[in-house]
Amino acid sequence: RDDIDNPLRTKTFHGETASNDQAERYVLLDSSCLPYQVDLLERGAAEGAVTGVILLSTVLERVRRLRGEAAKRRVLDLLSEGQGVGRFCVFPDDYHARTSVTAQAARRGETRDELERRGFARACKWLVEDGNGLSKEGESGMEVDPKGGKTSRVLVVSDDSDTRAYLEGAEELQGLVAKGLVSIQSTEEWITRSHPHLLDLVAVHSAGDKEGEAKTSGSSASFLPYRQHITVQEAERKIKLGLAFKGKLACTSRYSPWTALVSVRSTEKPELTEVKVVGREALNRAMEGDLVAVELIEKEKVQETAKAEEAGEDGKGVGEVGIASVAENEMDAEEVSDSVQYARVVCIIRRAWNDKGYCGSIQPKSLPKSEELLQSSGRALGVLFQPSDRRLPLIRVRTRQANVLKDQRIIVVIDSWEKESAYPSGHYVRALGMIGDRETETKVILHQHDVADPEEGFSPAVHACVPELPWSVPSTIEDSWRRDIRSMCVFSVDPPGCRDIDDALSARFVSPSEVEDSGDVTCVSLAADKKLVELGVHIADVTHFLKPNTPMDLEASRRCTSVYLVDRRIDMLPKPLTEDICSLRCNVDRFAFSVLWRVNVDTAQVVGEPEFFKSVIHSKAALTYQEAQERIDRGGTDVITTSLLLLRKVTRKLRQKRVDLGALTLASPEVKFEIDRDTHDPLDVGMYVTRETNKIVEEMMLLANETVATCIFEKGFSRSALLRRHPVPTRTMFEPLLKACKSAGIAMDVTTSRHLADSLDAAGVSKDTKDGYLNTLIRFMATRCMTQAEYFSSGEVAQSQFSHYGLAMPIYTHFTSPIRRYADVVVHRMLSACIGLEAPSVELCESALVTEQCGILNVRHKNAQLAGRASAELYTLVFFRDRPSEESARVVKVRDVGVVVFVPKYGIEGTVKLEGWTKDEGGKPLTTSPDGSRSLRLFDKVRVKIQVEQEGQSRQEHLVLSLVA
């Protein structure tokens, strides 16, 4: 084509007139700059410093080929509405007749790299000549005044020295370079000359990063700690031959990057097995989350990690103390089975580096001792960056703002990790605030767990999808299929202060007159005996407002879940929807998706088929768990109290049925804070107290979720139903629990979930006493042995594997929280299709698309849990800053360096370091003091002191537990 406009002529970028601050000068980037320099380009564009940037479509395609679709998308985000307007444009050089190299005859022996370089030079030549009116026949040699005000000049930026050398000598560009119309520089040269205040954002990377191992920096390096990686092709060959194995690397402790497990499959054993990678040399620059190829090595040849590596980069270590968690199957490094084989990393197939960067701070000891040098803003200083996530190694950074940044939490992006360097290299992106400030540390939590920044909010396009406030249910319901049940006694039960109410309940006896014409003999008989009850679960009809593929739906599918921190909630949907339009508040009409069951009140047996329908309800009350419990305890004849009493009677039986099938009553150390309304500081902290009303609501939600799961799988989406499963744990996974119970003389049978449930009920119970804390600890340990429940598509898993182990349910999904979970939104749409309210979309019917969404849901769900735990840990630190305390605790692990204890009052778990004590496994793990006067065994009761200290190099506060004599 020859009808594509030249941006140097039109001066329009992304639909707006270019606001180039260097009039008539444009920047052309090659693939060696992308996506590495995106942080620089984003900041420069936001400040108005970087403008007039041209991206060739062939360069974008090379970025996609070499670095993946995600890297290309990140570059294209530069053109997004707002920061990209008037600053960036894409020129389709592969489609223009004067720039496409495919329009020319191929050159014999020309490699792909050489072809792409020639194409880049050809595109640059035409853009400049045509933009200056030199491209007409016979005018190519006309003289141009390089100082003329109307002349368009192009700066070509490449971070590959070979490419720069080629372009400087290219026949196509020689004349243009000589006339000053084209200049060629690296990113650092460009920014140093034009925008020196942005120099800290310049990424330093290996421009030789092709499809295999990065180029080395040369043979003169004096430090060569790592082996050369084999190429990805060689790794794949070895994997096929069974000489190597592929898997994702996961650190065994959240406090150290130097010991990890890799889950691998072999041709002989198709099931997943784990291999252990220990120490810098064996890890060979692999980091948390990387997809790696490993080779097995003999255990005797393993160079065990140095103490400094295990304890921390400064050799002093950090306290492994925090809120106890059962959110995921966390494997302690010392609990890894002895049968696990050892391995070393030989290739990093795919990096898991976060393009958005990592939070942390500059290591104080890496700063220069000279105050004069430190305060010299014009000189770049090499410093070490300590990530807040201790599973990551230190990162080398060069900055001209060391004096300003030394007391701040900052974000750093990793650029490369050469084999000659002990640590990866990266660049500074931005500062978050002062170290130790609660708001700053909360920003760290949000960034670290990839949670949407609440300050950014939702885009105007998303808000445009929300009905204007005030909103109310129309006086005339247009949808004939929506049932009006506003006269029904419906009410909600939630935690105090809950404003995003997405579920409500109802319960009543069914009168004989309601079923006399039904033809159902069982219903008629039960109703006559006053034993037939109608139970109802009513869920906010979010999908009435959240339409598929709208900007709001796309944003919700990306966020996937609301995130609950101690002091705030980061919503999946805009607040007008979550707290008003969709929220089932009392005394207002609201749209709902209802499920009704008729149940035998004596047996909790469901009679007939459940009813699914969309409704309009009028909630009669919004109760807290405590308020609902008080109504039950004191009794009463009002309709809400009688409904609660009826729900209690039925849900007790429902719960017992699940227990009889093997449902587990597992413990979770959930922490509750009392917050000062003025200062937002924590006034008190303790374990969350659950009441029977919590169990009533839980049981009704479980019933609804199971019922809906059965419906969408059996009546419409057998190949693509979005379900949730909890895999059956293997006996190997239970080894830590079995070992601990055996040492304490506690019988533990994990053969089936029913046997496990019975063993847990009996743990800590004798004829005369019941040790409640011990029983709770055993339940914690049992929960940690299990994998997390996960979302999946029914078309990707055998039906025999659908079951939810912990709940003892053959099929399960999430339907009851669409305000805060996107999985429930998808399930609502599936259920609507099943009952004929809407046609199923392609996104719902294609198992591959549902599976893709499930992968995002699982990641976001876990991140939300981890962010919540991190927020609880932050507020626990704030609480104990000026409140050193002594509390009772129980020993839950015996280690070489001390004991791990659990403090029940605060839900805190951590290591008490015991210098000089000796660990003795024997029949029961114990550790003995140096003089032999005191021993500690598993599950012993102890007193510990809790206080806060700041670790010197990471500048992070942490809890320290010490044994009280």
Side-chain angles (χ1 to χ4, degrees):
R1 293 173 52 182
D2 58 5
D3 59 343
I4 302 174
D5 290 334
N6 184 341
L8 270 68
R9 277 185 177 272
T10 62
K11 306 289 192 293
T12 54
F13 283 9
H14 198 61
E16 298 288 338
T17 301
S19 55
N20 202 326
D21 64 343
Q22 299 177 30
E24 307 300 329
R25 181 173 179 178
Y26 298 86
V27 178
L28 191 64
L29 301 172
D30 86 337
S31 60
S32 67
C33 304
L34 302 169
Y36 308 108
Q37 308 296 358
V38 168
D39 293 314
L40 166 70
L41 298 173
E42 284 177 343
R43 176 73 65 82
E47 295 180 358
V50 175
T51 61
V53 178
I54 301 171
L55 306 172
L56 299 182
S57 56
T58 52
V59 168
L60 292 176
E61 177 56 26
R62 180 176 172 84
V63 169
R64 185 202 63 78
R65 191 179 79 248
L66 295 184
R67 299 174 187 104
E69 190 65 40
K72 179 182 175 181
R73 279 200 306 270
R74 187 159 187 245
V75 176
L76 288 175
D77 283 345
L78 291 169
L79 280 74
S80 64
E81 187 174 352
Q83 67 179 14
V85 174
R87 293 170 172 80
F88 302 93
C89 79
V90 174
F91 177 71
D93 60 309
D94 48 346
Y95 290 102
H96 198 288
R98 301 295 299 274
T99 59
S100 174
V101 289
T102 58
Q104 289 187 318
R107 297 179 181 178
R108 176 174 292 184
E110 189 174 46
T111 66
R112 189 171 193 170
D113 283 352
E114 290 169 342
L115 174 67
E116 289 175 343
R117 282 176 179 167
R118 181 163 62 86
F120 186 87
R122 176 178 166 83
C124 180
K125 171 183 169 66
W126 181 81
L127 286 170
V128 175
E129 289 187 343
D130 180 73
N132 286 286
L134 307 179
S135 57
K136 293 181 181 179
E137 205 65 43
E139 291 186 356
S140 60
M142 78 178 279
E143 291 296 321
V144 175
D145 179 7
K147 298 180 181 179
K150 295 183 179 180
T151 302
S152 296
R153 300 177 178 82
V154 170
L155 168 63
V156 175
V157 180
S158 173
D159 287 332
D160 180 59
S161 57
D162 292 341
T163 298
R164 291 198 301 273
Y166 169 84
L167 293 174
E168 287 167 356
E171 181 181 345
E172 296 91 338
L173 299 182
Q174 281 182 343
L176 297 174
V177 171
K179 294 170 184 174
L181 296 177
V182 173
S183 55
I184 302 165
Q185 298 174 4
S186 67
T187 303
E188 187 168 4
E189 290 171 333
W190 167 39
I191 298 301
T192 299
R193 295 177 184 180
S194 303
H195 315 291
H197 69 288
L198 297 175
L199 271 170
D200 279 5
L201 281 84
V202 174
V204 180
H205 65 279
S206 171
D209 184 15
K210 306 295 182 188
E211 299 176 31
E213 168 75 344
K215 288 182 181 179
T216 64
S217 301
S219 58
S220 61
S222 58
F223 179 52
L224 298 171
Y226 299 115
R227 293 173 179 265
Q228 182 90 4
H229 289 147
I230 62 175
T231 64
V232 173
Q233 292 83 352
E234 176 65 12
E236 294 291 354
R237 186 187 70 81
K238 286 194 168 191
I239 291 166
K240 287 181 180 178
L241 295 174
L243 301 176
F245 306 93
K246 179 167 67 174
K248 184 176 288 189
L249 186 136
C251 295
T252 57
S253 168
R254 61 186 179 123
Y255 299 100
S256 171
W258 306 121
T259 303
L261 293 175
V262 180
S263 296
V264 301
R265 282 190 174 93
S266 65
T267 52
E268 299 175 355
K269 295 182 179 181
E271 67 275 8
L272 279 174
T273 56
E274 291 179 326
V275 296
K276 190 174 182 181
V277 185
V278 180
R280 292 174 186 264
E281 184 178 345
L283 281 161
N284 196 9
R285 294 168 283 162
M287 291 167 53
E288 171 71 23
D290 286 349
L291 183 65
V292 299
V294 296
E295 290 179 346
L296 298 180
I297 55 177
E298 296 294 330
K299 184 175 181 180
E300 291 73 20
K301 295 181 180 179
V302 174
Q303 182 179 0
E304 290 293 341
T305 309
K307 288 292 182 182
E309 291 179 354
E310 291 287 355
E313 294 293 344
D314 60 353
K316 296 177 183 178
V318 295
E320 298 182 14
V321 183
I323 299 297
S325 170
V326 292
E328 69 281 341
N329 181 21
E330 286 190 337
M331 178 65 76
D332 189 296
E334 294 183 19
E335 292 175 353
V336 177
S337 173
D338 292 336
S339 61
V340 169
Q341 292 181 283
Y342 286 81
R344 70 182 178 197
V345 174
V346 295
C347 176
I348 298 173
I349 298 171
R350 186 174 65 247
R351 283 289 191 188
W353 290 345
N354 187 351
D355 287 339
K356 295 180 180 179
Y358 302 99
C359 297
S361 55
I362 295 173
Q363 244 197 14
K365 72 176 183 180
S366 70
L367 293 167
K369 295 180 180 179
S370 167
E371 192 67 25
E372 181 180 351
L373 186 60
L374 182 62
Q375 294 185 10
S376 175
S377 59
R379 181 171 179 176
L381 299 176
V383 296
L384 289 175
F385 169 80
Q386 173 73 69
S388 297
D389 185 347
R390 297 308 292 259
R391 296 172 303 172
L392 304 172
L394 299 176
I395 302 169
R396 296 185 184 278
V397 177
R398 294 185 66 79
T399 176
R400 291 158 180 80
Q401 308 175 69
N403 192 47
V404 176
L405 301 178
K406 61 183 175 63
D407 296 319
Q408 299 195 58
R409 295 282 181 224
I410 62 175
I411 295 176
V412 163
V413 168
I414 297 177
D415 299 323
S416 64
W417 195 346
E418 302 293 339
K419 70 186 184 68
E420 291 82 5
S421 175
Y423 305 111
S425 298
H427 66 271
Y428 160 79
V429 176
R430 62 188 173 98
L432 296 176
M434 299 304 291
I435 293 172
D437 176 73
R438 188 179 60 243
E439 191 62 31
T440 298
E441 301 300 344
T442 298
K443 288 180 181 179
V444 170
I445 291 170
L446 295 175
H447 185 93
Q448 197 164 311
H449 298 97
D450 198 18
V451 177
D453 188 342
E455 292 182 0
E456 294 180 3
F458 292 93
S459 69
V462 171
H463 281 295
C465 299
V466 182
E468 290 186 6
L469 294 178
W471 180 91
S472 61
V473 171
S475 56
T476 302
I477 307 300
E478 296 179 358
D479 301 320
S480 58
W481 38 259
R482 190 177 292 278
R483 193 182 302 182
D484 189 342
I485 57 172
R486 283 176 278 196
S487 60
M488 183 182 293
C489 180
V490 173
F491 56 91
S492 60
V493 184
D494 290 285
C498 180
R499 303 184 68 176
D500 53 340
I501 303 172
D502 47 16
D503 58 84
L505 304 172
S506 63
R508 66 182 184 90
F509 279 100
V510 179
S511 66
S513 62
E514 294 179 73
V515 295
E516 60 185 3
D517 297 329
S518 67
D520 191 322
V521 178
T522 303
C523 283
V524 172
S525 174
L526 288 171
D529 295 336
K530 295 184 178 180
K531 292 184 178 180
L532 185 64
V533 299
E534 180 187 79
L535 304 181
V537 167
H538 313 273
I539 306 301
D541 188 7
V542 173
T543 55
H544 178 80
F545 307 95
L546 185 62
K547 302 302 182 183
N549 297 317
T550 59
M552 184 163 64
D553 182 53
L554 296 175
E555 179 66 15
S557 70
R558 185 185 68 82
R559 296 191 179 206
C560 291
T561 180
S562 294
V563 180
Y564 293 83
L565 306 185
V566 171
D567 64 332
R568 71 195 68 185
R569 183 184 77 233
I570 296 92
D571 290 312
M572 181 182 80
L573 297 169
K575 269 188 171 53
L577 275 182
T578 63
E579 294 188 356
D580 190 341
I581 298 170
C582 290
S583 183
L584 305 182
R585 300 182 298 136
C586 67
N587 299 322
V588 291
D589 298 343
R590 286 293 178 261
F591 288 148
F593 209 148
S594 299
V595 186
L596 297 181
W597 303 263
R598 285 178 175 170
V599 177
N600 184 330
V601 71
D602 289 339
T603 64
Q605 184 67 39
V606 175
V607 181
E609 291 295 317
E611 279 191 276
F612 306 100
F613 58 92
K614 291 204 170 185
S615 60
V616 55
I617 67 170
H618 185 93
S619 177
K620 303 302 187 288
L623 306 174
T624 65
Y625 287 114
Q626 183 175 343
E627 290 169 346
Q629 190 65 53
E630 288 171 354
R631 281 177 176 263
I632 290 174
D633 293 342
R634 70 170 177 263
T637 58
D638 63 280
V639 65
I640 293 176
T641 302
T642 54
S643 297
L644 282 166
L645 290 167
L646 189 53
L647 283 167
R648 181 181 68 169
K649 183 174 183 178
V650 177
T651 55
R652 281 179 173 178
K653 292 181 172 63
L654 289 172
R655 188 176 187 83
Q656 188 56 51
K657 282 186 175 184
R658 288 196 306 106
V659 170
D660 292 342
L661 291 171
L664 302 174
T665 304
L666 299 171
S668 176
E670 199 170 340
V671 179
K672 179 182 178 182
F673 291 86
E674 181 185 344
I675 303 296
D676 187 302
R677 292 188 178 183
D678 296 325
T679 66
H680 300 288
D681 287 333
L683 299 175
D684 196 11
V685 57
M687 295 287 284
Y688 184 78
V689 178
T690 57
R691 300 174 174 84
E692 188 173 17
T693 45
N694 293 78
K695 296 179 181 179
I696 290 172
V697 174
E698 177 189 20
E699 211 59 47
M700 290 302 297
M701 297 305 110
L702 293 177
L703 177 63
N705 287 334
E706 183 184 30
T707 304
V708 170
T710 302
C711 178
I712 63 174
F713 175 66
E714 294 182 352
K715 298 182 179 180
F717 297 93
S718 61
R719 299 298 300 167
S720 61
L722 192 156
L723 303 175
R724 188 164 174 82
R725 65 193 286 261
H726 185 208
V728 178
T730 63
R731 187 172 181 85
T732 302
M733 294 167 67
F734 278 120
E735 279 185 10
L737 173 68
L738 295 171
K739 185 178 179 181
C741 289
K742 181 180 179 181
S743 68
I746 297 172
M748 187 59 57
D749 186 350
V750 297
T751 309
T752 65
S753 62
R754 178 59 195 270
H755 287 102
L756 175 59
D758 291 341
S759 297
L760 292 174
D761 289 341
V765 178
S766 63
K767 292 181 180 179
D768 303 320
T769 61
K770 179 179 180 179
D771 189 338
Y773 279 154
L774 177 58
N775 186 273
T776 300
L777 289 176
I778 297 295
R779 292 182 190 274
F780 284 169
M781 297 176 83
T783 310
R784 282 178 167 165
C785 294
M786 303 173 195
T787 55
Q788 231 180 349
E790 61 184 10
Y791 296 106
F792 70 100
S793 167
S794 60
E796 305 299 320
V797 177
Q799 190 172 349
S800 60
Q801 303 298 313
F802 282 11
S803 63
H804 196 293
Y805 177 79
L807 299 176
M809 288 182 171
I811 190 168
Y812 190 70
T813 193
H814 274 161
F815 164 76
T816 55
S817 295
I819 287 178
R820 64 190 79 178
R821 289 191 306 233
Y822 192 74
D824 304 56
V825 171
V826 176
V827 171
H828 275 231
R829 289 172 179 161
M830 288 182 170
L831 184 59
S832 292
C834 287
I835 63 176
L837 298 185
E838 59 184 57
S841 65
V842 174
E843 290 85 357
L844 301 181
C845 297
E846 291 288 340
S847 182
L849 297 177
V850 175
T851 297
E852 182 181 354
Q853 183 65 62
C854 285
I856 302 170
L857 289 167
N858 289 326
V859 170
R860 294 294 188 188
H861 180 74
K862 182 174 181 179
N863 283 353
Q865 286 185 318
L866 294 176
R869 179 172 81 175
S871 178
E873 289 182 342
L874 170 61
Y875 273 76
T876 302
L877 285 170
V878 175
F879 177 77
F880 282 109
R881 270 178 188 165
D882 303 314
R883 297 183 182 92
S885 304
E886 289 186 13
E887 296 295 339
S888 298
R890 299 294 286 264
V891 176
V892 294
K893 292 175 189 173
V894 177
R895 287 179 165 174
D896 293 329
V897 296
V899 293
V900 179
V901 301
F902 175 71
V903 184
K905 182 175 180 180
Y906 300 118
I908 294 169
E909 183 183 63
T911 301
V912 177
K913 295 188 177 180
L914 301 173
E915 296 290 339
W917 288 53
T918 306
K919 180 182 176 183
D920 178 20
E921 287 291 343
K924 184 174 184 178
L926 62 86
T927 184
T928 307
S929 61
D931 60 3
S933 62
R934 187 175 183 184
S935 295
L936 292 178
R937 294 175 173 80
L938 197 63
F939 302 128
D940 276 358
K941 298 178 181 179
V942 294
R943 294 278 298 175
V944 295
K945 183 177 181 180
I946 308 169
Q947 57 190 21
V948 175
E949 292 183 2
Q950 188 180 77
E951 193 272 319
Q953 297 307 313
S954 70
R955 310 285 297 282
Q956 286 182 253
E957 289 183 318
H958 59 272
L959 291 176
V960 175
L961 303 180
S962 54
L963 196 63
V964 177

